[in-house]
Amino acid sequence: MTEIQFGTSAVVGPTTGNIAVRPVVLAAPDRGTDLEVRVTAPLAGSDLPVVLFSHGFGFSMDAYGPLVDFWAAHGFVVIQPTHLDSVSLGLAPDDPRGPRVWRYRIEDLARVLDELDTVVAAVPGLPGRVDVSRVAATGHSYGATTASALLGARVLSPAGDPDEDFTDSRVSTGVLLCLAGLAGDELTPIASQLFPFMNPSFDRMSAPALIAAGDADQSILSARGPDWWTDAYQQSPGEKSLLTLFRAEHGLGGIHAYGTIPQTAAENPATVALVQQMTTAYLRTALGVDANSWPAAQDALTHEEQPSGRLDSK
């Protein structure tokens, strides 16, 4: 049983009707640094599904408020681990764990699932209100790569082994925002040198998922254009949807934070709103909350006169 240190702060959102508790600390001796998570949940409701959210490179459990708060306000318990690459942890460049951070990230999500009952118990008023059998894996950028492993994506050599399967049966669906594409000969030299794990295979990523990409997201990691971010949709089997966000760069209009927007100069509230609405509708249907949410959202987007994005499904 993993030991737990109860959160040192609990904040009730005055307008959202949410409560956020952080940090919930899970002992992780094999990791070298205990795993800290943030839990954001609605103050009311029962049978609440769980959404795991994996942050992008360098961020932490305290980022992505515009998404996390919106999801919680619409009936989800959102759990955000702080991965070892977070700048808040200050991992030294020569730390021996560095080459394995991609793997520790995946293990972080599995550890949260292993200790889900304990994590839920850290939030006042939440025990007894969560349906731990309904779980989605979600993430942005590096976090999308992490979450995709639980849905069936593989990591090829030189960092990984195509036969190693990280699929987690406790996760039934996913939302993958700005998920890095295939490697091949199209990775830039800096990507090949610094991120050898960035060589995915989506051939066995069969779990249903919503994948989102900005059509102005030109990555420094790939010699290809913004279509690189759509590879998982094109290459994976099973039920998938692709949300293409018009004029959106990697920050998708500013999903990282309220106010100051890290990693993007293209702040766009309309794009953020569309990401909020479409991901929420998808999760509500995929996790069995409301069968009509996703069809209604698709129909609404199709009939907008000046939409901020386009949806494709297979």
Side-chain angles (χ1 to χ4, degrees), residues 53-125:
F53 185 86
S54 179
H55 62 73
F57 180 76
F59 287 90
S60 74
M61 62 181 172
D62 294 318
Y64 298 94
L67 269 185
V68 171
D69 292 344
F70 196 88
W71 287 344
H74 288 81
F76 299 102
V77 177
V78 186
I79 303 175
Q80 299 171 266
T82 292
H83 299 300
L84 287 174
D85 58 278
S86 174
V87 295
S88 68
L89 298 181
L91 201 71
D94 60 350
D95 191 296
R97 292 171 293 177
R100 295 188 71 253
V101 164
W102 67 269
R103 186 182 294 273
Y104 282 116
R105 278 175 150 264
I106 297 169
E107 293 170 356
D108 289 345
L109 298 187
R111 190 183 303 274
V112 171
L113 291 175
D114 291 343
E115 300 298 331
L116 201 49
D117 289 340
T118 311
V119 172
V120 169
V123 182

Side-chain angles (χ1 to χ4, degrees), residues 161-198:
D161 179 343
D163 292 326
E164 186 174 16
D165 186 3
F166 300 101
T167 305
D168 197 309
S169 62
R170 295 170 292 186
V171 175
S172 61
T173 189
V175 171
L176 307 171
L177 309 173
C178 304
L179 173 60
L182 302 178
D185 298 326
E186 294 167 324
L187 283 187
T188 58
I190 189 172
S192 298
Q193 177 184 357
L194 298 179
F195 308 117
F197 63 86
M198 195 177 288

